[in-house]
Amino acid sequence: MSRFSYMISLVRDGDYLSFAVIILSTCFVVFCCGPIHEFAHAYVADKCGDDTARLKGRLTLNPFAHLDFIGTLMIFFFGIGYAKPVPVNPARLKHPRRDLALISLAGPVANLSMAFVSVWVYYILMAVGGSNIAVGAVAYFFSYAAQINVMLAVFNFLPIPPLDGSKIFSAILPDRIYFKIMQYDRYIMIGLMVLLFTGLLNTPLSWISNIMMKFISIIPSLIFG
């Protein structure tokens, strides 16, 4: 069942709470996770000497500066989508290949940072007032925030064009191999979309994300139990 069909079935069955949770969680991805991810790209690009993103108004946490209309609709209806890519001019970078890798790395690192903070907030809330329904609900939100940010980071670390991982990986690839791969980036992207829509990537992505969640939860879980 597709995400859209599932949402319709929830409304039809009167499960408005689950429907609201899906809508709110999707809004969190669209208006918080995505914009911070793109802002991180723009910030590092600016620090590396390329002010293109700043001149185009992308060096901001305003979510509307980063939204892509089609990508946003895809997230709501299919659970898979994208934000507006941050423009980067390699000619303005001091060390193009290295800096492109750093710019690409910034997005997933921003997601992991949000996940790390969210995990700590979750454990603190559960320790001080987890038995309270309201506090428990807020704690659950931060738990979800951590999980979704880890999944976004893991997904973007995949070394597949046009994901961030491909640009990070390119920094260590010989030019000949890198440019050969980029000749087929459009076809690789189509293959990636097929894997996503058929769910074939769900199991490996979930497995890696679970390992990452356990890793960033080690210290707060030891402190707060």
Side-chain angles (χ1 to χ4, degrees):
M1 180 184 292
S2 69
R3 177 187 173 92
F4 181 68
S5 299
Y6 177 62
M7 291 169 65
I8 294 298
S9 69
L10 290 176
V11 175
R12 187 170 53 245
D13 296 340
D15 190 354
Y16 301 114
L17 179 60
S18 296
F19 178 79
V21 168
I22 290 178
I23 295 298
L24 290 174
S25 62
T26 303
C27 287
F28 174 70
V29 172
V30 170
F31 295 107
C32 183
C33 302
I36 292 178
H37 178 106
E38 298 302 330
F39 168 79
H41 286 315
Y43 178 81
V44 174
D46 196 65
K47 291 300 181 181
C48 288
D50 179 17
D51 59 357
T52 304
R54 176 159 51 86
L55 294 175
K56 291 184 177 295
R58 301 297 303 280
L59 192 59
T60 176
L61 289 172
N62 178 3
F64 295 100
H66 303 289
L67 296 184
D68 180 275
F69 180 71
I70 301 299
T72 300
L73 288 180
M74 287 178 62
I75 293 174
F76 273 99
F77 290 112
F78 303 108
I80 301 168
Y82 51 89
K84 190 187 302 180
V86 168
V88 177
N89 184 354
R92 295 187 176 185
L93 298 174
K94 301 169 186 175
H95 307 282
R97 194 155 186 179
R98 183 206 68 184
D99 292 347
L100 280 173
L102 291 175
I103 293 167
S104 299
L105 183 65
V109 168
N111 289 123
L112 288 178
S113 299
M114 285 188 282
F116 184 77
V117 172
S118 296
V119 164
W120 275 88
V121 174
Y122 165 76
Y123 275 99
I124 291 172
L125 288 174
M126 292 301 292
V128 300
S131 58
N132 182 280
I133 295 177
V135 175
V138 176
Y140 174 77
F141 170 81
F142 279 101
S143 174
Y144 177 80
Q147 293 175 47
I148 195 67
N149 273 293
V150 165
M151 290 186 69
L152 286 171
V154 170
F155 176 67
N156 275 285
F157 271 131
L158 293 177
I160 303 173
L163 301 178
D164 295 324
S166 66
K167 301 181 183 67
I168 299 169
F169 193 58
S170 71
I172 60 174
L173 280 179
D175 289 342
R176 178 176 57 83
I177 297 177
Y178 171 69
F179 289 116
K180 188 70 174 178
I181 294 174
M182 293 309 296
Q183 289 178 2
Y184 302 98
D185 63 337
R186 182 175 301 178
Y187 303 104
I188 295 174
M189 182 178 180
I190 293 173
L192 174 63
M193 297 302 292
V194 170
L195 290 174
L196 288 172
F197 281 112
T198 55
L200 293 176
L201 275 180
N202 290 352
T203 299
L205 287 178
S206 296
W207 182 74
I208 298 173
S209 296
N210 288 335
I211 292 176
M212 186 65 70
M213 275 296 298
K214 290 178 181 178
F215 178 74
I216 65 174
S217 300
I218 291 176
I219 296 178
S221 65
L222 288 175
I223 295 176
F224 298 104

